[in-house]
Amino acid sequence: MSGFTVLIVDDSRSVRTILKNALSAMLRGVQIVEAGDGETAVKLYKQHLADLVFMDITMPGLNGIGALSAIKAFDPGAHVVMLTAESSLDTVVKAKELKADGFIAKPFEAGRIAQLVSDRMAVQPRPIHVLLADDARSIRSIVRRSLVSLPHVFRIREAEDGAQVAELAEARPADLVFLDIHMPNQTGMDALIRIRKRSPETHIVMLTSDASAAAVSGAKALGANDYILKPFTSDQLAAIVDRFVASRG
């Protein structure tokens, strides 16, 4: 559902186009996101949680080393391959210290990039992409801790209001969404409508302290698959995930 996403980062539009065309021609089901500088790369990574990043080292503004550092700080599990014509030993050492996952020297063959993506797709376990939206950080922390304790691979993005979670869902659809009903800027109900319109297959779970029949039926009428009452337990969250996994097949 959420597919495999590749983030291509290079200040050269022609390099990005070559890579994008090669991946589109040789591989199916790959979403490609582009950035021309390090700042944009970090922002897009946080929005999409790309499965694989190709990162140019030499760029104006925030260079590839700085962007690699920021991405790894946000997500230590990020898989980032550096693209470089830079032969400086210091640069390579610094990238390795920041846990770059590989290096490809320019000029390169586009087919090699496509093969690298194909190999990565073959070995990477199929994760469950989760969007977790609640204006209370404590609730988000409880849900995150409960999820990572389960025997599944999760990729989790967080939002603190309805507008933000809807934007994240539009950037990259999620498999499973936990959505608080009462949030600032845009309510969970409004976000539910936007997410359901964009992603009919996403499994949406409402988080609420309102157990009234009207609230529950209203959410289900708008496309919610399930709901869970606050305060909830880790076992209740695990049961939700089990039902989702069973429906996923």
Side-chain angles (χ1 to χ4, degrees):
M1 185 187 304
S2 56
F4 189 95
T5 299
V6 176
L7 172 58
I8 300 171
V9 188
D10 200 296
D11 60 329
S12 169
R13 184 185 297 271
S14 62
V15 169
R16 300 198 308 271
T17 299
I18 289 170
L19 291 176
K20 182 176 180 179
N21 290 344
L23 295 180
S24 299
M26 299 179 188
L27 299 170
R28 293 183 179 180
V30 175
Q31 178 185 8
I32 300 169
V33 185
E34 300 178 50
D37 58 78
E39 291 91 344
T40 303
V42 175
K43 178 181 178 181
L44 288 176
Y45 186 85
K46 291 179 178 180
Q47 290 177 346
H48 292 266
L49 277 189
D51 300 286
L52 179 58
V53 181
F54 291 107
M55 178 77 72
D56 187 26
I57 288 183
T58 305
M59 294 184 290
L62 184 67
N63 65 17
I65 297 297
L68 168 65
S69 177
I71 288 173
K72 288 286 188 176
F74 174 76
D75 178 14
H79 196 89
V80 184
V81 175
M82 310 305 290
L83 304 175
T84 181
E86 173 67 68
S87 59
S88 167
L89 179 60
D90 289 343
T91 301
V92 173
V93 168
K94 183 63 176 176
K96 287 184 176 179
E97 288 175 350
L98 293 170
K99 302 190 184 303
D101 297 280
F103 296 85
I104 294 180
K106 294 180 179 180
F108 50 77
E109 293 182 2
R112 182 185 174 195
I113 300 291
Q115 186 60 54
L116 195 155
V117 175
S118 179
D119 292 344
R120 179 66 180 165
M121 291 173 70
V123 301
Q124 178 174 302
R126 183 185 180 192
I128 298 173
H129 277 264
V130 174
L131 273 175
L132 169 55
D134 198 295
D135 56 326
R137 180 175 296 179
S138 59
I139 297 294
R140 300 199 307 272
S141 296
I142 290 170
V143 176
R144 178 181 281 271
R145 287 198 304 269
S146 297
L147 291 178
V148 299
S149 70
L150 298 175
H152 305 284
V153 178
F154 292 99
R155 300 283 282 157
I156 304 171
R157 290 172 290 167
E158 296 185 21
E160 57 187 21
D161 63 56
Q164 185 182 19
V165 71
E167 290 169 2
L168 289 174
E170 288 164 1
R172 178 174 189 167
D175 301 305
L176 182 59
V177 176
F178 291 96
L179 190 59
D180 185 25
I181 288 183
H182 301 292
M183 291 185 289
N185 294 331
Q186 191 174 96
T187 69
M189 292 297 203
D190 290 332
L192 167 62
I193 294 171
R194 287 180 61 182
I195 294 170
R196 180 55 74 218
K197 182 177 181 180
R198 171 70 171 80
S199 307
E201 297 181 0
T202 294
H203 194 94
I204 303 176
V205 180
M206 308 307 291
L207 304 176
T208 179
S209 55
D210 185 355
S212 69
V216 173
S217 61
K220 289 190 173 181
L222 293 173
N225 300 94
D226 213 333
Y227 73 98
I228 188 168
L229 292 176
K230 300 178 184 179
F232 45 78
T233 67
S234 295
D235 287 343
Q236 288 174 308
L237 286 170
I240 292 280
V241 173
D242 286 343
R243 287 199 291 273
F244 164 72
V245 171
S247 68
R248 189 187 200 194

